[in-house]
Amino acid sequence: MRKPLFRAFLTVLLLLTLALTGCSRQAEEEKKDDALLLGFSQLGSESGWRIGNTKSVQEAAEAAGIRLMLENANQSQEKQLTALRSFIAYRVDVIAFSPIVQEGWDNVLREAREAGIPVIIEDRTVDTKDESLYAVHVGSDFYSEGVMAGEYLLKKLSTLPPETVLNVVELTGTQGSSPMLLRSAGFRDTVAKEPRVHILDSISGDFMISKGKECVRLMLEKYGTEFDVLFSHNDAMMYGALDAFGEYGVIPGRDVIIISVDGEQQAIDLLKEGKVNCVVECTPMLGEAIMQIARDLKDGKPVEREVYSSERAFTEFDDLSQLAPRGY
Ligand code: GZL
């Protein structure tokens, strides 16, 4: 083939190759841009549980090839509402959020519905009369967690002398949040049938270590040795409580029966050491379920309205030697 003609042929071939490569890269970009975009409003970082929940969502999004817009509200409902409205404005494909409290979501959920953006409620729940305002709730049955805590205490009481009376201090989570309201209801409904169990007092530690410590100091000042049982709505507040007991020379797990909820590794370790008597599981590992539901919603597939995690209680009566690491 004559040289100029061959050179022209090579030039055309090179240009074609570049054009095709560029198109495939653009197509790749568009495909990636077509990846599902999930807006996720996390309520805060108040406990090891919450940090585990955020990690679970981030890792599951990465594994599923789902683009995640994550906003942390640092315990502020106002910031959550702002984040949800920014997701709507950005026209994400799906919204997921853990509502810090039950009330006050109808308007923003209506805006999401009008924008045609399906909403997944994860972890805590909202209180709404309009079921069309969200597609799915995925999380724990908080009432059952309270029941399991109460059932443990009744079992513990059955091992004590028949004249024993147990005075309970309830250390509650964030006021108006579904875990706080439902764990309390489940526990109280369960122990109500036992006249030898009294709820001495209830005080909110807002699910935080520091506030849990302050509250238990107050309760020890107020009730002293009348304080027989601590029912803490989460492990973080229980850790603070154990610090307070230490300051007052009270031996947790012996002088005071300790019941907690979440099932963090640290809490299970304390249970094995005998410093805690019962830890009710509440798994934060909701990421995979959220991503599958988001994918199904985007693909227009049918989804279950309510997806509950299966959970158990770990108690001093159990053999915990084979328990797998908790992962949070
Ligand atoms: C329960 C979750 C609670 C945890 C706390 O699902 O909402 O919030 O029990 C966390 O540790 O602060």
Side-chain angles (χ1 to χ4, degrees):
M1 189 182 286
R2 282 150 52 92
K3 268 198 176 176
L5 192 59
F6 182 66
R7 200 173 287 126
F9 169 74
L10 282 179
T11 308
V12 169
L13 190 62
L14 178 65
L15 288 173
L16 259 179
T17 309
L18 285 174
L20 286 172
T21 313
C23 291
S24 67
R25 192 178 296 116
Q26 188 192 349
E28 202 47 44
E29 280 306 310
E30 277 164 15
K31 194 168 78 57
K32 203 174 79 176
D33 285 350
D34 275 353
L36 193 155
L37 180 59
L38 174 68
F40 177 56
S41 166
Q42 181 55 288
L43 64 87
S45 313
E46 73 286 357
S47 64
W49 188 100
R50 184 66 52 200
I51 291 162
N53 180 241
T54 301
K55 187 164 168 262
S56 168
V57 169
Q58 288 171 315
E59 290 178 351
E62 180 75 27
I66 286 175
R67 287 181 294 153
L68 185 67
M69 285 176 80
L70 168 63
E71 293 287 339
N72 189 317
N74 294 316
Q75 309 298 315
S76 158
Q77 181 173 29
E78 273 319 300
K79 286 182 182 170
Q80 282 204 285
L81 291 166
T82 302
L84 295 176
R85 290 192 164 100
S86 70
F87 297 151
I88 293 167
Y90 200 82
R91 306 206 61 70
V92 299
D93 295 303
V94 181
I95 286 173
F97 76 113
S98 178
I100 186 165
V101 292
Q102 287 195 140
E103 307 297 334
W105 306 99
D106 277 12
N107 290 339
V108 72
L109 292 176
R110 234 173 256 119
E111 292 162 31
R113 184 183 59 190
E114 279 148 24
I117 302 174
V119 176
I120 301 168
I121 309 277
E122 76 104 21
D123 175 29
R124 300 183 188 178
T125 56
V126 299
D127 182 17
T128 180
K129 292 178 178 48
D130 184 349
E131 296 236 325
S132 72
L133 290 180
Y134 67 88
V136 182
H137 168 255
V138 51
S140 297
D141 180 344
F142 303 126
Y143 182 86
S144 299
E145 291 169 351
V147 170
M148 286 190 272
E151 286 171 345
Y152 159 76
L153 190 58
L154 296 180
K155 180 172 181 179
K156 177 70 177 180
L157 182 61
S158 71
T159 69
L160 302 173
E163 68 278 9
T164 304
V165 171
L166 293 176
N167 293 311
V168 181
V169 168
E170 186 183 24
L171 185 52
T172 72
T174 304
Q175 297 279 32
S177 69
S178 48
M180 175 262 172
L181 295 166
L182 295 170
R183 283 170 184 164
S184 187
F187 179 80
R188 288 164 180 264
D189 291 349
T190 303
V191 302
K193 56 195 168 216
E194 175 49 70
R196 293 183 295 153
V197 175
H198 297 158
I199 308 288
L200 193 61
D201 211 330
S202 185
I203 183 169
S204 176
D206 209 10
F207 285 130
M208 293 179 181
I209 295 175
S210 56
K211 292 187 180 178
K213 185 172 184 176
E214 283 164 31
C215 291
V216 168
R217 278 181 179 145
L218 277 172
M219 294 293 101
L220 287 167
E221 285 295 328
K222 192 172 175 184
Y223 297 106
T225 54
E226 236 192 304
F227 186 163
D228 303 315
V229 181
L230 174 74
F231 171 42
S232 174
H233 284 190
N234 84 329
D235 293 340
M237 294 188 294
M238 176 267 285
Y239 305 146
L242 263 56
D243 284 352
F245 286 129
E247 290 172 355
Y248 284 75
V250 172
I251 300 174
R254 198 197 68 184
D255 299 341
V256 175
I257 297 164
I258 309 290
I259 305 169
S260 186
V261 187
D262 275 349
E264 294 177 5
Q265 187 58 54
Q266 185 179 346
I268 297 297
D269 295 343
L270 288 164
L271 175 60
K272 289 177 177 177
E273 292 165 27
K275 293 176 182 168
V276 172
N277 302 88
C278 171
V279 179
V280 177
E281 181 181 29
C282 173
T283 180
M285 307 303 193
L286 302 173
E288 279 182 29
I290 292 167
M291 299 311 145
Q292 185 55 58
I293 292 164
R295 179 80 65 203
D296 289 345
L297 286 168
K298 185 166 188 244
D299 295 347
K301 291 180 182 169
V303 292
E304 290 290 319
R305 174 120 180 114
E306 187 66 65
V307 179
Y308 280 125
S309 314
S310 63
E311 293 163 342
R312 57 164 287 190
F314 303 104
T315 81
E316 61 181 296
F317 305 119
D318 298 322
D319 171 8
L320 301 171
S321 58
Q322 304 306 311
L323 199 57
R326 300 292 302 153
Y328 61 101

